[in-house]
């Protein structure tokens, strides 16, 4: 981040009066520029949106979006470096909300550094090739499992969510077989019923993909493929930001791999949406 601050400082004498206002804001609140639009930045210092864009171009960037991505990355890397070195932040440096949001940014950076793209592509291949996909998640994991299963079924038309509180759950267990796939969300606190689900799936010949938080997760004993992603916990509230980011990446890879099929299924859904006049 320091190199970027020096770059702005070196270019400062060449800025117009309006551009200097943007530069002053950047020195004071770089995080505001990192997560605000050029229009919002301009309003903050009473200059036009085009002045903000020209300011980034003056620094050598194609436009505001390119500059913003660099700032976001550098801020996240700086936070990660401080966390790894156990360097405490000054008490009054940021608001409580800003610290909470920075923790979410940090979780994405950790995911970026730890995820193995080859393993992720293997997971995408298994999802695409499976006869049926069953998505399992219990307790606090059920919400994110349900969201992912709904999208996957809309996209590929071969996915079911498993709800242990229904009779259908046991029917699903009985129907599993070779060629089927279970995608399980297993984050703390781990429940016995999800582990039992994985054990049953393996017993019926289905493959298992586990998304979990650590290498010590009890679910890994049943996993054919595993993606580990840390869950940030603050004030006893778990944040699934990094899990959502990982799933969004999987979904985008699925779309790229199965674009024709996904678009076809989406088109069918759109016909129904229009017939029912569903959206305003």
């Amino acid at each position: 981040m320091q190199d970027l601050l020096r770059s702005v400082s070196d270019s400062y004498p060449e800025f117009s009066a309006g551009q200097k206002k943007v530069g002053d804001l950047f020195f004071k609140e770089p995080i505001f520029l990192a997560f605000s639009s050029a229009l919002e930045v301009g309003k903050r210092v009473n200059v036009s949106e085009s002045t903000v864009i020209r300011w980034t171009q003056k620094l050598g960037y194609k436009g505001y979006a390119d500059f913003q991505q660099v700032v976001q990355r550098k801020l996240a890397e700086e936070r990660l470096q401080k966390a790894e070195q156990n360097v405490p932040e000054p008490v009054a440096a940021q608001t409580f909300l800003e610290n909470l949001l920075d923790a979410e940014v940090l979780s994405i950076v950790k995911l970026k550094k730890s995820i193995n793209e080859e393993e992720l592509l293997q997971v995408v291949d298994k999802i695409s090739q499976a006869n049926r996909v069953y998505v399992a998640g219990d307790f606090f994991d059920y919400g994110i499992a349900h969201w992912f299963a709904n999208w996957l079924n809309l996209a590929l038309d071969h996915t079911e969510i498993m709800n242990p509180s229904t009779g259908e759950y046991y029917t699903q267990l009985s129907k599993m077989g070779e060629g089927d796939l279970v995608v399980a969300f297993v984050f703390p606190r781990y429940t016995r019923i999800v582990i039992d689900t994985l054990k049953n799936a393996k017993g019926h010949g289905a493959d298992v993909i586990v998304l979990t938080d650590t290498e010590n997760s009890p679910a890994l004993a049943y996993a054919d493929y595993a993606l580990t992603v840390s869950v940030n916990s603050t004030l006893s509230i778990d944040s699934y930001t990094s899990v959502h980011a990982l799933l969004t990446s999987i979904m985008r890879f699925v779309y790229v791999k199965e674009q024709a099929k996904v678009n076809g299924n989406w088109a069918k859904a759109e016909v129904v949406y229009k017939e029912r006049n569903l959206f305003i």
Side-chain angles (χ1 to χ4, degrees):
M1 190 65 188
Q2 293 303 315
D3 57 338
L4 185 54
L5 289 169
R6 281 194 297 270
S7 175
V8 176
S9 180
D10 291 343
S11 301
Y12 193 85
E14 303 174 9
F15 294 157
S16 66
Q19 290 171 348
K20 285 181 178 178
K21 290 182 179 180
V22 181
D24 291 340
L25 179 61
F26 178 67
F27 289 136
K28 184 180 179 181
E29 299 181 55
I31 197 167
F32 182 79
L33 275 78
F35 297 100
S36 302
S37 68
L39 180 61
E40 291 170 330
V41 171
K43 287 182 178 179
R44 181 71 174 269
V45 293
N46 295 317
V47 301
S48 66
E49 180 182 13
S50 60
T51 297
V52 179
I53 295 172
R54 284 195 296 270
W55 176 77
T56 60
Q57 292 171 339
K58 193 91 172 182
L59 293 170
Y61 297 92
K62 292 181 179 179
Y64 185 76
D66 290 337
F67 170 78
Q68 192 174 49
Q69 289 175 5
V70 171
V71 178
Q72 289 173 358
R73 186 181 73 249
K74 288 186 177 295
L75 284 172
E77 289 173 349
E78 186 177 69
R79 292 287 295 178
L80 178 61
Q81 185 178 19
K82 287 181 179 180
E84 290 174 343
Q85 295 174 352
N86 294 316
V87 177
E89 288 286 334
V91 174
Q94 294 195 117
T95 67
F96 180 59
L97 174 60
E98 288 171 337
N99 281 319
L100 290 177
L101 294 177
D102 272 354
E104 302 305 314
V105 174
L106 180 59
S107 70
I108 300 293
V109 174
K110 287 182 177 179
L111 173 64
K112 180 180 176 181
K113 289 180 177 291
S114 64
I115 196 64
N116 184 309
E117 186 170 335
E118 183 176 342
E119 292 177 352
L120 187 144
L121 290 174
Q122 290 176 346
V123 165
V124 170
D125 285 341
K126 291 302 297 184
I127 290 173
S128 298
Q129 297 165 7
N131 294 332
R132 296 294 297 170
V133 176
Y134 298 92
V135 180
D138 194 23
F139 220 60
F140 294 122
D141 300 336
Y142 182 77
I144 196 168
H146 189 274
W147 169 76
F148 181 64
N150 276 349
W151 183 88
L152 205 55
N153 193 52
L154 174 62
L156 298 180
D157 192 27
H158 71 345
T159 305
E160 300 178 30
I161 182 67
M162 302 187 74
N163 186 342
S165 65
T166 66
E168 184 183 7
Y169 167 78
Y170 297 96
T171 302
Q172 291 168 328
L173 290 179
S174 69
K175 289 182 177 181
M176 284 182 190
E178 292 184 8
D180 293 332
L181 176 69
V182 174
V183 178
F185 293 80
V186 190
F187 294 95
R189 300 167 64 181
Y190 312 121
T191 63
R192 289 184 176 86
I193 195 163
V194 169
I195 302 302
D196 289 343
T197 299
L198 302 184
K199 184 177 180 180
N200 187 285
K202 293 300 296 179
H204 283 76
D207 289 326
V208 171
I209 293 172
V210 169
L211 287 86
T212 192
D213 62 318
T214 71
E215 300 294 340
N216 298 319
S217 170
L220 294 182
Y222 304 97
D224 296 292
Y225 304 89
L227 295 174
T228 56
V229 52
S230 61
V231 174
N232 176 37
S233 182
T234 304
L235 301 178
S236 299
I237 299 173
D238 293 333
S239 167
Y240 287 76
T241 298
S242 54
V243 183
H244 271 285
L246 177 58
L247 291 179
T248 302
S249 297
I250 291 174
M251 290 156 63
R252 286 170 174 160
F253 273 105
V254 167
Y255 176 76
V256 171
K257 182 178 177 61
E258 301 287 350
Q259 186 171 355
K261 186 173 184 179
V262 174
N263 285 339
N265 286 328
W266 284 355
K268 294 176 184 177
E270 285 294 339
V271 170
V272 176
Y273 298 157
K274 290 179 180 178
E275 288 176 349
R276 300 297 177 91
N277 195 24
L278 187 61
F279 298 112
I280 297 174

